[in-house]
Amino acid sequence: MQKTVQLYEGKAKKVYATENEDLVIVSYKDDATAFDGQKKGTIVGKGVVNNRMSNYLMQVLEKQGIKTHFVEELNDRETVVRKVSIVPLEVIIRNISAGSFAKRYGVEEGIVFDEPTIEFSYKNDDLHDPLINDYHALALKLATKDEIAQIKSMAFKINEVLKAYFIKLGVKLVDFKLEFGRLKDGTIVLADEISPDTCRFWDAKTNEKLDKDRFRRDLGNVEDAYKEMMHRVFGD
Ligand code: UDP
């Protein structure tokens, strides 16, 4: 599979067309941004970690009956995925309080919830991805009722599969962000990535942060955290 023209360049990835109109190639960069793009930097090797980890996790999810955009890993940074039209919602699942949840509700980080939570943000850079509820998403025609129901049910299932997977590696899955896309025929599939950029991972014993919070909060050892997560998943 060959790249043809570049279709899009995002903050962390580039997307290329291929000869097959139903497939695109994603290329993961080492560029990192945080706080709505205000903080910029490079995390050396991040693109490799995110590409490999995301592809692996998508395959774990496929085995559990979750449809994803994953097709084939080409090399350390590039992957063939199914072309989708992205549903403009960021879907956030939380198992433990952290980040914007802790800030918004004035609670400490680390509170383990009895039940996971779900929330949506409207993917819109000009509006800075505002928090949105189901009814508003419907009113704005971002997705249908049926699609929202499907997305919620898939997101909670993904959480159960990933939580169980990571705890075996000595990692707590604190929270994460998912994006979903529509195939040509309307089928909803998991898209984007699942990586230390989009998940909070805490070491199960020490609560050490093994994710992008090390970059966001200037905690140091950013590259090491990504490498450590790669090591837990692949043993290399
Ligand atoms: N997240 C993401 N992209 C975003 C916002 C959040 O991948 O644009 C992920 C983030 O890494 C974390 C989860 O979603 O795992 C919840 O993030 P939160 O709402 O707490 O926002 P943050 O504190 O990261 O601004």
Side-chain angles (χ1 to χ4, degrees):
M1 182 76 39
Q2 294 284 334
K3 291 179 279 195
T4 56
V5 291
Q6 184 177 310
L7 296 175
Y8 169 81
E9 174 158 12
K11 294 174 198 121
K13 300 189 277 293
K14 290 180 187 176
V15 180
Y16 297 89
T18 68
E19 284 105 41
N20 183 332
E21 62 164 22
D22 297 328
L23 300 176
V24 295
I25 291 174
V26 177
S27 178
Y28 284 75
K29 305 190 286 183
D30 285 350
D31 299 352
T33 62
F35 309 119
D36 206 15
Q38 290 174 60
K39 185 180 168 91
K40 287 191 175 75
T42 302
I43 303 173
V44 176
K46 170 172 89 78
V48 175
V49 175
N50 289 6
N51 180 46
R52 291 189 57 203
M53 190 185 295
S54 189
N55 292 342
Y56 183 79
L57 294 174
M58 296 243 179
Q59 290 172 87
V60 167
L61 290 167
E62 288 272 1
K63 283 198 191 104
Q64 300 300 319
I66 302 285
K67 291 196 181 84
T68 79
H69 71 167
F70 176 77
V71 177
E72 187 195 0
E73 186 169 291
L74 292 177
N75 56 52
D76 271 359
R77 286 183 187 269
E78 294 178 331
T79 296
V80 182
V81 300
R82 292 205 262 182
K83 189 172 188 175
V84 297
S85 105
I86 289 283
V87 177
L89 293 170
E90 297 196 339
V91 181
I92 293 170
I93 295 275
R94 302 179 190 270
N95 296 304
I96 299 175
S97 65
S100 71
F101 182 96
K103 201 169 165 204
R104 187 183 319 127
Y105 300 119
V107 297
E108 79 230 53
E109 296 199 308
I111 303 165
V112 179
F113 303 145
D114 291 340
E115 296 283 336
T117 68
I118 192 164
E119 74 210 40
F120 299 117
S121 293
Y122 176 22
K123 249 178 90 73
N124 183 316
D125 282 341
D126 294 339
L127 299 175
H128 312 288
D129 302 342
L131 199 62
I132 192 172
N133 72 25
D134 302 26
Y135 293 94
H136 293 173
L138 269 176
L140 293 170
K141 296 193 167 39
L142 306 182
T144 66
K145 221 173 189 169
D146 196 51
E147 285 174 337
I148 292 174
Q150 242 188 76
I151 284 171
K152 279 186 178 168
S153 130
M154 285 171 82
F156 282 122
K157 176 148 189 212
I158 291 165
N159 183 43
E160 291 313 311
V161 173
L162 294 183
K163 222 172 28 176
Y165 171 78
F166 280 112
I167 203 63
K168 287 188 199 142
L169 307 179
V171 172
K172 290 183 200 169
L173 179 60
V174 174
D175 58 29
F176 56 98
K177 185 260 304 179
L178 301 172
E179 292 183 25
F180 292 86
R182 302 178 186 98
L183 299 178
K184 253 189 196 163
D185 68 357
T187 309
I188 296 282
V189 300
L190 177 65
D192 195 48
E193 65 180 280
I194 309 173
S195 72
D197 270 18
T198 62
C199 303
R200 284 195 170 92
F201 296 126
W202 293 357
D203 180 84
K205 282 208 190 93
T206 64
N207 281 340
E208 187 192 357
K209 296 185 198 320
L210 298 170
D211 56 59
K212 196 171 151 190
D213 269 350
R214 300 206 73 86
F215 169 78
R216 291 189 190 100
R217 302 179 187 190
D218 294 319
L219 299 176
N221 300 325
V222 184
E223 276 90 0
D224 291 344
Y226 280 74
K227 268 192 222 143
E228 176 60 24
M229 281 309 300
M230 180 94 134
H231 178 68
R232 303 262 179 129
V233 172
F234 295 106
D236 61 32

